[in-house]
Amino acid sequence: MAILDGENLFYNAAALSKAAIDSNVLKVGPGDAGDPPILVLRVKDAGTGTFKTVLETSAKEDFSAPKTLGTYEQVPLSVHLPRGNLGYLRIKGTSTYAKGTVTAGLVLDDNIDR
C-alpha cells in the first residue's frame, strides 16, 4: 500500500462490521487537480465480505447538500479522484464483513496495479 498521510485519511484501521460506516471528512479545498490524487482503500484481517464505497463531496463541512462523485465495490480499491470536488470529501461505506479493519485515504502515487 502507498504511504498514507494522516491529514488525508478517511479511515485509519477502522473496525468493520456488517453495517454502514461513515468516514472522517477531509477538507481538500474546491477544484480539481491536473494530476488528481488516488483514492485507496484496503481491508485487513476481514475474511470474506464486500465493502461498497460511495465517495461524496460538498461545499460545506456538514454535507448539507452532498454530491456523489463515484460508487465503487472493488476491494482493494485504487482509483483517481473523480472531477467535481466541491471542497470537502467523505466516504459513505457499507460493509458485509463481520470482522477486520478498513483503511482508506488519498495518495499522490499508489504502489499497486490498477
Side-chain angles (χ1 to χ4, degrees):
M1 185 155 185
I3 296 172
L4 297 169
D5 172 6
E7 296 293 317
N8 291 311
L9 284 178
F10 293 105
Y11 304 112
N12 186 10
L16 287 169
S17 64
K18 293 183 178 184
I21 177 172
D22 291 342
S23 75
N24 297 321
V25 172
L26 301 185
K27 181 179 181 180
V28 295
D32 298 311
D35 188 13
I38 300 165
L39 169 63
V40 293
L41 180 138
R42 303 289 181 273
V43 298
K44 183 176 179 184
D45 301 325
T48 303
T50 62
F51 193 91
K52 181 178 180 180
T53 302
V54 179
L55 178 64
E56 294 183 334
T57 188
S58 179
K60 297 183 180 182
E61 190 172 9
D62 67 1
F63 277 78
S64 55
K67 174 186 168 190
T68 298
L69 289 179
T71 301
Y72 312 96
E73 297 196 17
Q74 64 265 39
V75 174
L77 175 65
S78 178
V79 295
H80 280 99
L81 189 66
R83 302 252 180 236
N85 170 37
L86 299 174
Y88 293 90
L89 298 170
R90 74 176 176 191
I91 291 174
K92 303 280 278 184
T94 306
S95 170
T96 64
Y97 292 103
K99 62 178 183 172
T101 61
V102 60
T103 298
L106 298 176
V107 298
L108 296 177
D109 189 16
D110 61 358
N111 196 17
I112 64 170
D113 296 331
R114 268 184 277 201

